[in-house]
Amino acid sequence: MTLERTRTDLMAEGPNCDHCSTRSRCVFYSLTESQAGQMRPCIRERIVAVGELVQRQGSAGSSVMVVKVGLFKGLRAAPGQEQKAIAILGKGRLLGFNNLYRQPAPLTLVAMTPARICEADVDAVHGLAMVHQQFRQRVYQAVGSYIDCVADWSRILREDSYLRKLCQALHLIANEEGCSAFRIPSHIELANVLGSRRETIARHIGLLIDRGMFRKVDRWHGMLLDSGCDAQVSRAA
């Protein structure tokens, strides 16, 4: 089965919300059964390939998206300057919420890992979902959580210890994935977000492994073995 065939099949079938592991984080899951029954035919699920752009800073879009699987890097540029990665967004994140308010996109969003999103046209969301108070409340909460996430990434970039910086970044990624075991973005991608080099990421992941704070599950996945970074990093320093 080709990737394009898979994309077409997913869009034709729509999302399988009843068996979705992301539903507890999804704004659409706040709708009642009857409300969701009206909205669901307007929601399409699609595959997003690594490197694919789903939103461009400053642009206006026509859809609202929820991340079902995968990680996206958020990039921001000052006028006339190159875009730089400043945050990682994952499972359950509401993307394109700016389109609900006719505002330009705050970030450019690009898939860092294989991903899937559920998306719906803004007009359908306005007509069938935003009219319900509980849905609007979930949207407001999702926007606030989005801001918190970007602020958390901004904070860790100012850590003096690079080992603590990387450890906290992995914890943020685990939080996005909703699990202590998760797919690790490439070392190049992590380096871009943390303002370092691929070799620095590889060396410090090795240090976290040596100190019993992280374990590689396979080539692509890892698992955090500790609930925090500060104490162990401080003892190891």
Side-chain angles (χ1 to χ4, degrees):
M1 181 180 291
T2 65
L3 177 60
E4 193 58 42
R5 175 65 181 276
T6 305
R7 288 172 184 261
T8 303
D9 290 346
L10 281 173
M11 292 180 70
E13 294 172 5
N16 188 355
C17 299
D18 293 336
H19 298 91
C20 178
S21 64
T22 312
R23 61 184 181 272
S24 64
R25 295 184 171 197
C26 179
V27 293
F28 293 112
Y29 200 67
S30 65
L31 296 171
T32 66
E33 186 174 349
S34 61
Q35 293 164 357
Q38 292 181 305
M39 187 67 218
R40 194 165 297 160
C42 303
I43 303 173
R44 53 196 177 272
E45 180 182 338
R46 68 180 177 93
I47 290 173
V48 182
V50 175
E52 185 174 340
L53 183 147
V54 298
Q55 176 180 285
R56 188 181 300 279
Q57 178 187 340
S59 67
S62 59
S63 66
V64 176
M65 301 162 280
V66 175
V67 180
K68 185 171 184 176
V69 177
L71 296 170
F72 291 80
K73 61 181 175 181
L75 302 101
R76 180 83 179 177
Q81 295 187 9
E82 181 183 358
Q83 288 188 326
K84 294 186 177 181
I86 63 168
I88 295 176
L89 304 164
K91 192 173 183 179
R93 288 291 176 194
L94 180 64
L95 311 181
F97 59 81
N98 54 287
N99 297 324
L100 289 170
Y101 307 108
R102 308 293 190 247
Q103 295 296 311
L107 300 176
T108 293
L109 298 173
V110 180
M112 299 176 72
T113 66
R116 279 183 285 160
I117 60 173
C118 290
E119 64 179 344
D121 291 338
V122 169
D123 290 342
V125 177
H126 270 297
L128 297 173
M130 287 292 280
V131 293
H132 302 295
Q133 182 178 1
Q134 76 275 17
F135 182 83
R136 293 197 302 272
Q137 185 64 32
R138 282 295 296 271
V139 169
Y140 302 150
Q141 291 171 351
V143 173
S145 180
Y146 184 103
I147 295 170
D148 286 343
C149 177
V150 174
D152 283 338
W153 282 99
S154 176
R155 174 187 55 79
I156 67 171
L157 291 176
R158 286 155 179 77
E159 285 285 354
D160 293 332
S161 165
Y162 195 87
L163 192 62
R164 184 180 291 110
K165 180 187 296 186
L166 177 60
C167 181
Q168 291 182 358
L170 294 176
H171 276 276
L172 288 180
I173 292 172
N175 183 65
E176 293 299 295
E177 294 283 66
C179 183
S180 59
F182 53 91
R183 178 166 179 136
I184 310 166
S186 74
H187 291 177
I188 292 176
E189 293 284 18
L190 277 175
N192 286 339
V193 176
L194 296 178
S196 62
R197 301 175 59 192
R198 177 179 60 83
E199 295 80 5
T200 304
I201 296 292
R203 183 170 67 254
H204 283 81
I205 284 181
L207 288 173
L208 291 175
I209 292 172
D210 291 343
R211 292 168 184 177
M213 302 168 70
F214 188 71
R215 177 167 66 86
K216 289 291 291 293
V217 176
D218 56 34
R219 181 182 177 186
W220 301 109
H221 298 82
M223 176 180 290
L224 288 164
L225 302 176
D226 185 71
S227 59
C229 303
D230 292 343
Q232 290 204 37
V233 169
S234 296
R235 286 198 299 267

